[in-house]
């Protein structure tokens, strides 16, 4: 409770501020619930949030006035008669542009509140080092038709960006993206200049994969989750007690560059024997006797085709990479005691071939107590995980502050 001021004017003002803070918080709670869970009746919202029916009615009225939710006919009857009306997010009320800069592709999507995807594009990029400003220009070209297709009343609420690199969230500086060939790339700054949009947030792709899986994945809302993303490199994103583990600046979770084999190979980061040198894409292709084609993705397509017909060399390569993957997963289970470890990217795609070896190695590596509590599962979002996470991150300010800048004032009697 706020301290009351001795001055009557001050007391009123302070009470006013406290009431406004409560309302502000509750608006965010209701919008978050609708965003995560989809349409709900007012009764369901009241039950889910612990707020009274009349408070819910007021909050829904405010959110409607902001253009963020709408009420319409319900889908299922709760008793005799017509179904109760449902409150749902208006995707057009807050639209974000999501971008992903991966080693082998660029992806863009326009995503609205509630997770509605308006459109998306993905394009393979040749595996050659390109300067960040060129790649940013390519991404802007890819995004242009998606943004142009949005009707004028669809409000752009920001841009979320996933990048396969070690990234500072405060300004979007990519310190190191070894597999993109970038060092100290001012990605956030380049995007702000290119897109003419200031509300841009850049984050590591595995951290965003974890966010996406936490909100919309295998077990939405699970409190402790580790997401392991396999591409050219390995990234890990960690959710601890419902919150992302970022470290001091957003660099936490670089599990791909933890030591797993002191006798291993040289890694792109400069060290030797990193996890990704034993369990990343290059290791898989090497064990399978495959070369890397110029696009990278084609190499994996070819590998998948060979695995599908049961080629022994490929299945053996999957088992070997699965073993190293499982050892690393076992380490993460010991470190974080997650309820679920989600395998994404490459590991999602080839999960059926990797699963047995991963489970065996992880079970051997993990301590008995955390092992009993964990499920290891392939990603539900697959190749879209980081892009979904980028959209979720860009929508976060709107959900945290539904009455914030850019939304019309609410007029009260
Ligand atoms: Zn490394």
């Amino acid at each position: 409770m706020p301290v009351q001021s001795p001055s009557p004017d001050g007391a009123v003002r302070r009470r006013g501020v406290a009431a406004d803070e409560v309302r502000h918080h509750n608006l965010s709670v209701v919008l978050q619930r609708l965003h995560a869970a989809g349409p709900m009746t007012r009764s369901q919202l009241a039950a889910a949030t612990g707020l009274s029916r009349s408070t819910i009615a007021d909050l829904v009225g405010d959110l409607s006035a902001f253009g963020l939710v709408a009420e319409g006919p319900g889908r299922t009857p709760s008793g005799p008669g017509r179904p109760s009306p449902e409150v749902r997010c208006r995707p057009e009320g807050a639209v974000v542009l999501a971008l992903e800069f991966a080693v082998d592709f660029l992806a863009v999507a326009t995503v609205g509140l509630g997770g509605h995807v308006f459109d998306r594009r993905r394009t393979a990029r040749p595996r050659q080092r390109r300067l960040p400003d060129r790649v940013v220009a390519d991404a802007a070209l890819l995004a242009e038709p998606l943004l142009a297709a949005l009707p004028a009343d669809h409000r752009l609420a920001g841009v979320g960006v996933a990048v396969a690199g070690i990234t500072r969230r405060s300004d979007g500086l990519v310190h190191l993206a070894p597999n993109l060939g970038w060092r100290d790339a001012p990605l956030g700054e380049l995007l702000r200049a290119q897109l003419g949009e200031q509300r841009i947030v850049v984050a590591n792709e595995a951290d965003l994969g974890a966010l996406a899986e936490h909100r919309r994945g295998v077990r939405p809302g699970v409190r402790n989750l580790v997401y392991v993303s396999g591409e050219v490199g390995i990234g890990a994103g960690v959710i601890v007690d419902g919150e992302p583990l970022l470290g001091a600046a957003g660099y936490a979770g670089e599990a791909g560059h933890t030591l797993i084999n002191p006798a291993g190979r040289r890694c792109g980061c400069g060290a030797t024997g990193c996890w990704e040198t034993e369990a990343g894409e290059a290791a898989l292709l090497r064990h399978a006797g495959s070369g890397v084609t110029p696009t990278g993705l084609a190499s994996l397509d070819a590998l998948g085709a060979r695995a599908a017909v049961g080629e022994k060399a490929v299945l053996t390569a999957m088992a070997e990479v699965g073993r190293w993957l499982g050892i690393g997963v076992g380490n993460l289970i010991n470190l974080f005691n997650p309820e679920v470890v989600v395998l994404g990217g490459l590991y999602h795609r080839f999960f059926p071939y990797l699963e047995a070896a991963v489970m065996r190695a992880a079970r051997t590596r993990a301590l008995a107590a955390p092992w009993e509590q964990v499920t290891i599962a392939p990603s539900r979002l697959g190749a879209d995980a980081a892009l979904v996470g980028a959209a979720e991150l860009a929508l976060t300010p709107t959900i945290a502050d539904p009455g914030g800048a850019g939304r019309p004032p609410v007029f009260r009697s």
Side-chain angles (χ1 to χ4, degrees):
M1 290 292 286
V3 177
Q4 295 285 315
S5 159
S7 143
D9 284 342
V12 168
R13 184 166 51 75
R14 283 174 183 238
R15 274 202 298 273
V17 168
D20 205 49
E21 280 175 6
V22 169
R23 171 182 158 275
H24 184 270
H25 173 77
N26 289 341
L27 283 170
S28 176
V29 167
V30 169
L31 189 59
Q32 172 62 47
R33 180 64 66 160
L34 292 167
H35 173 69
M40 299 172 83
T41 65
R42 289 186 183 194
S43 310
Q44 287 168 335
L45 273 172
T49 59
L51 296 167
S52 71
R53 288 287 299 270
S54 63
T55 302
I56 289 291
D58 286 347
L59 295 169
V60 168
D62 286 353
L63 291 170
S64 300
F66 297 146
L68 298 173
V69 307
E71 238 172 336
R75 295 161 299 177
T76 47
S78 51
R82 283 188 299 181
S84 302
E86 284 181 328
V87 187
R88 51 174 58 84
C89 287
R90 289 183 71 245
E92 60 272 37
V95 183
V96 295
L97 177 69
L99 300 171
E100 182 178 5
F101 293 85
V103 177
D104 288 322
F105 63 87
L106 286 174
V108 302
T110 38
V111 181
L113 202 56
H116 175 80
V117 178
F118 288 99
D119 202 355
R120 75 179 84 194
R121 297 268 193 287
R122 182 180 295 267
T123 182
R125 60 184 292 270
R127 190 172 288 183
Q128 61 190 34
R129 298 192 167 189
R130 298 196 70 197
L131 293 173
D133 56 345
R134 298 293 303 276
V135 184
V136 163
D138 290 347
L141 270 180
L142 198 62
E144 203 174 85
L146 274 64
L147 293 172
L150 288 176
D153 65 341
H154 287 38
R155 296 181 209 151
L156 193 67
V159 179
V161 183
V163 62
I166 301 169
T167 304
R168 187 166 68 199
R169 287 204 178 187
S170 59
D171 60 357
L173 181 84
V174 180
H175 274 292
L176 181 67
N179 298 314
L180 288 165
W182 295 354
R183 186 179 286 275
D184 292 329
L187 186 61
E189 196 180 298
L190 291 169
L191 282 163
R192 281 180 196 98
Q194 182 77 44
L195 298 172
E197 168 62 54
Q198 295 306 303
R199 296 164 299 174
I200 294 180
V201 58
V202 184
N204 172 267
E205 56 88 26
D207 287 342
L208 292 179
L211 178 66
E213 290 291 342
H214 178 238
R215 294 211 180 149
R216 304 197 177 276
V218 186
R219 284 167 60 186
V222 73
R223 303 295 294 171
N224 298 281
L225 173 151
V226 176
Y227 174 78
V228 179
S229 155
E231 302 292 346
V232 178
I234 298 179
V238 183
I239 304 281
V240 176
D241 198 19
E243 296 293 331
L245 182 80
L246 301 176
Y251 307 150
E254 286 296 335
H257 300 288
T258 52
L259 177 68
I260 205 155
N261 181 6
R265 294 179 173 236
R266 184 95 168 158
C267 177
C269 74
T272 296
C274 293
W275 192 20
E276 70 180 44
T277 64
E278 301 295 344
E281 181 192 290
L284 182 58
L285 294 172
R286 188 173 70 240
H287 287 304
S290 298
V292 177
T293 62
T295 66
L297 293 174
S299 311
L300 295 181
D301 290 344
L303 198 67
R306 290 169 63 197
V309 296
E311 190 180 319
K312 191 158 187 312
V314 177
L315 300 182
T316 304
M318 296 278 184
E320 178 63 5
V321 163
R323 184 173 74 84
W324 286 108
L325 179 60
I327 292 170
V329 165
N331 286 336
L332 293 173
I333 291 169
N334 288 349
L335 275 171
F336 297 111
N337 183 202
E339 288 139 275
V340 58
V341 175
V342 181
L343 300 180
L346 183 67
Y347 306 136
H348 160 262
R349 179 172 181 173
F350 294 135
F351 188 77
Y353 307 113
L354 297 166
E355 182 178 5
V358 170
M359 295 298 175
R360 199 162 39 243
R363 187 171 54 237
T364 305
R365 186 80 213 113
L367 295 164
W371 175 255
E372 282 170 14
Q373 296 179 309
V374 75
T375 304
I376 300 173
S379 164
R380 180 176 164 221
L381 301 164
D384 287 334
L387 202 58
V388 170
E392 290 291 330
L393 188 64
L395 283 166
T396 299
T398 301
I399 294 167
D401 184 13
R407 274 167 296 283
V410 179
F411 296 100
R412 297 168 183 285
S413 55

